[in-house]
Amino acid sequence: MKIICIGRNYADHAKELNNPVPKNPMIFMKPDTAILRKRRPFYYPEFSKNIHYEAEVVLKICKNGKHVEEKFAHKYYNEISLGLDMTARDVQSEQKAKGHPWEIAKAFDSSAVIGEFLPMEGYDAKNIGFHLTKNGETVQTGNTNDLIFSFDYLIAYISKYFKLHIGDLIYTGTPAGVGPVAIGDRLEGFLGDQHLLSCEIR
Ligand code: MG
């Protein structure tokens, strides 16, 4: 399986990092070794001094597809969760300055924290609220009605370049409020009022 991530898909987050709002979805990937599931702890890696959380709605692909048309895209995902796109912001800044790829800042082991999945039924893809707390305090809130590129648009766009396989995950981007974690912090993620994710930083 592969993990496809979208950067800068909420205008308020693009602004907070002084990035332009993109004209097309900005895509990067993580390998399957990045997955951190089942409420396991996240171990702070030695190569960074500025690890950030980015809370994101995650879609699970349920049908293989290439060149999927946007009007059929909703048939290609049937489960949804909340995930964290863990980012070594200091390493990312160095890579960006050099014009180098992001992988060592974004795709390292355990950088794709994933919560429990729920069936997509019952959710309106264009109106899903979510939030993240750190040590009990809300640090990020978002709603998919603020997405620059909708789920269906993303599926169509991504599948032009990459064949989608059953089980692939799509991290759909983070809203404003990203920030650092420290050893001892606990992150909890919610989709609506459903508690789907818990992660302790060690
Ligand atoms: Mg992200």
Side-chain angles (χ1 to χ4, degrees):
M1 58 85 74
K2 56 190 174 292
I3 304 163
I4 299 160
C5 304
I6 309 302
R8 303 175 197 164
N9 203 12
Y10 290 86
D12 58 352
H13 169 62
K15 269 184 223 146
E16 77 178 341
L17 295 185
N18 294 317
N19 288 316
V21 173
K23 290 198 177 66
N24 288 309
M26 207 175 83
I27 294 176
F28 61 96
M29 291 208 237
K30 303 190 189 222
D32 57 2
T33 44
I35 288 279
L36 182 69
R37 55 162 68 95
K38 297 211 170 78
R39 300 176 184 242
R40 291 206 176 112
F42 175 93
Y43 289 93
Y44 207 107
E46 39 68 37
F47 54 76
S48 174
K49 290 192 164 45
N50 194 19
I51 298 284
H52 276 203
Y53 55 80
E54 295 188 359
E56 313 201 358
V57 174
V58 180
L59 306 177
K60 192 189 273 185
I61 296 297
C62 62
K63 195 171 148 108
N64 295 344
K66 176 79 182 164
H67 293 302
V68 175
E69 282 184 64
E70 191 176 345
K71 64 182 173 186
F72 298 125
H74 64 279
K75 297 175 191 285
Y76 286 78
Y77 55 94
N78 65 354
E79 287 182 72
I80 187 164
S81 186
L82 195 83
L84 302 175
D85 167 19
M86 301 300 279
T87 302
R89 196 70 74 198
D90 46 355
V91 178
Q92 186 191 30
S93 298
E94 287 165 23
Q95 297 299 99
K96 274 161 99 173
K98 287 188 276 192
H100 287 180
W102 282 0
E103 275 85 348
I104 61 169
K106 281 281 196 183
F108 55 87
D109 293 348
S110 302
S111 62
V113 181
I114 188 72
E116 282 167 50
F117 278 91
L118 298 174
M120 192 64 209
E121 295 152 23
Y123 286 98
D124 170 3
K126 293 200 164 79
N127 184 20
I128 300 171
F130 58 98
H131 73 280
L132 180 75
T133 67
K134 185 171 90 170
N135 305 326
E137 235 172 84
T138 299
V139 287
Q140 276 192 290
T141 55
N143 190 298
T144 57
N145 62 21
D146 291 322
L147 284 168
I148 298 170
F149 303 107
S150 70
F151 295 163
D152 292 352
Y153 186 90
L154 290 175
I155 298 280
Y157 185 84
I158 291 165
S159 68
K160 281 200 274 189
Y161 299 90
F162 307 105
K163 185 176 180 182
L164 294 171
H165 274 163
I166 294 171
D168 288 350
L169 301 181
I170 301 180
Y171 281 61
T172 58
T174 198
V178 301
V181 294
I183 290 170
D185 285 347
R186 178 169 286 280
L187 301 169
E188 317 253 14
F190 300 80
L191 207 60
D193 54 6
Q194 298 273 347
H195 178 237
L196 298 185
L197 181 152
S198 181
C199 182
E200 190 196 332
I201 313 296
R202 285 192 192 161

